[in-house]
Amino acid sequence: MAHSSSSRTVIFAALGGNLLVAATKFAAAFMTGSASMLSEAIHSLIDTGNQGLLLVGMRRATRPATAMHPFGYGLELYFWTFVVALLIFGLGAGVSLYEGIIHIIHPQPVAHVLVNYVVLVASIVFEGSVWLMALRTFRKEGKGRRGWVEAVQMSKDPTVFTVLFEDTAALSGLGVALLGNILAEWLEMPVLDGVASIIIACILAVTAAFLARESQSLLTGEGVAPEVLAALRRMALAASGVERLNEIRSLHFGPRDVLVVISLDFRNDMTAGQVEIVVSALEHQIKQAYPEVTRVFIEAQDSRTQPPGTAASGSVPTP
């Protein structure tokens, strides 16, 4: 299963940058004692690990098929994306919530607050540049003319939208941390620094929940987009000698690794050789039109043998 170079570029850029930003934030948190800065440092460190896990998932997903895994390992990418969502929730949101509560119970004035301002503004500039890169890649490879939520739900490549959502959460968290530090200093209310940390925890929790939901849906088996399914149906029904499309099913094993299974009822006067020719031509046509379809299985089956209710689960009979 191949991945676009732009997806890898976005992940590598985010990984390298987050590692440097995390180190800077930890130093600033140590100097200032800011809870929101510590939350941001932990957030950046987790994001660094998340990008590493996405790269692991991309590499492991490309392993060739084996006797034990005849369809390959493409689903590993979705598994590691789910692990990333769990880490964002468990570590990112959990630690940020803990730090926020501690600093609300025992508020401490932030020392050397100027250091926080400089680090947060610099982080916003960097995260913004990576966010724009991820946004352009998502628009190019996944969004099309769909709305944002629909585009994420229909996307089969979690690497791009995961980085995009992580960076969106990062920018939101940085804005909250900066505002919390400013208000804590100007209003002389250090408790607001802890409040900012709790808000960051909520942002991370919402992001993690959304990513977990999308990766869970991919991991448990999603088919092709409705417009692709409709095109496959038209191709099958237009094939020579096809009287009825009994059933058609699809499954994404990865962003560019799709299995399509079609059951067709051919004319009874066709010979086995004629059916073989039609099947080969249809398979070639599907793979030409949709290169992400790597496997096509076409079955010749009498429509009268189909179990009741099959048509409702994805097949389309001829009029």
Side-chain angles (χ1 to χ4, degrees):
M1 179 185 65
H3 291 272
S4 66
S5 58
S6 53
S7 298
R8 291 184 180 274
T9 300
V10 169
I11 294 176
F12 275 116
L15 187 151
N18 278 321
L19 187 60
L20 293 175
V21 170
T24 305
K25 288 178 179 177
F26 273 116
F30 178 77
M31 291 178 60
T32 63
S34 169
S36 58
M37 180 59 76
L38 181 58
S39 296
E40 277 300 308
I42 294 170
H43 181 189
S44 293
L45 184 61
I46 292 171
D47 280 352
T48 304
N50 289 343
Q51 270 92 58
L53 290 177
L54 288 177
L55 290 172
V56 168
M58 292 173 72
R59 180 180 60 81
R60 292 179 62 86
T62 59
R63 291 180 296 166
T66 64
M68 290 294 293
H69 293 84
F71 291 104
Y73 292 83
L75 290 173
E76 282 222 30
L77 177 62
Y78 300 151
F79 167 76
W80 288 106
T81 305
F82 189 73
V83 171
V84 165
L86 295 180
L87 287 176
I88 294 175
F89 182 82
L91 292 180
V95 174
S96 297
L97 180 63
Y98 173 79
E99 287 295 326
I101 292 173
I102 291 299
H103 279 74
I104 288 176
I105 296 174
H106 305 290
Q108 296 291 331
V110 175
H112 309 291
V113 70
L114 183 60
V115 174
N116 272 1
Y117 294 158
V118 172
V119 171
L120 289 172
V121 171
S123 298
I124 288 173
V125 172
F126 171 76
E127 292 285 0
S129 63
V130 177
W131 181 84
L132 287 174
M133 184 186 302
L135 180 63
R136 284 194 295 266
T137 302
F138 182 65
R139 281 177 170 172
K140 175 184 175 183
E141 299 188 3
K143 186 178 184 298
R145 295 183 177 181
R146 297 185 176 98
W148 290 102
V149 175
E150 182 188 4
V152 172
Q153 291 174 337
M154 297 304 299
S155 174
K156 311 304 179 184
D157 188 351
T159 56
V160 176
F161 71 71
T162 297
V163 174
L164 179 62
F165 272 76
E166 280 185 347
D167 287 337
T168 301
L171 281 173
S172 302
L174 287 166
V176 170
L178 182 60
L179 181 62
N181 274 261
I182 291 174
L183 292 177
E185 182 187 15
W186 285 4
L187 299 178
E188 296 183 351
M189 296 177 61
V191 71
L192 294 178
D193 184 43
V195 172
S197 184
I198 291 179
I199 295 175
I200 292 171
C202 293
I203 292 173
L204 293 177
V206 171
T207 303
F210 189 80
L211 289 176
R213 179 179 180 275
E214 292 307 313
S215 56
Q216 176 270 336
S217 180
L218 290 167
L219 189 60
T220 52
E222 283 191 6
V224 295
E227 59 268 24
V228 177
L229 184 61
L232 294 176
R233 288 168 171 166
R234 288 193 296 269
M235 291 180 191
L237 289 170
S240 176
V242 173
E243 288 194 335
R244 182 183 177 91
L245 170 58
N246 298 321
E247 189 174 14
I248 180 169
R249 296 185 183 275
S250 61
L251 177 64
H252 268 271
F253 286 96
R256 296 167 185 85
D257 185 7
V258 181
L259 165 70
V260 172
V261 180
I262 304 175
S263 173
L264 297 174
D265 186 1
F266 291 90
R267 288 201 323 263
N268 293 332
D269 61 349
M270 294 180 68
T271 66
Q274 289 173 324
V275 171
E276 287 177 357
I277 292 173
V278 173
V279 167
S280 296
L282 179 57
E283 179 181 353
H284 179 73
Q285 181 186 12
I286 290 173
K287 289 184 176 180
Q288 279 271 351
Y290 299 99
E292 67 271 22
V293 177
T294 56
R295 302 173 185 86
V296 180
F297 296 104
I298 301 175
E299 176 188 41
Q301 187 177 22
D302 190 332
S303 61
R304 289 172 296 182
T305 66
Q306 288 290 300
T310 300
S313 62
S315 66
V316 175
T318 55

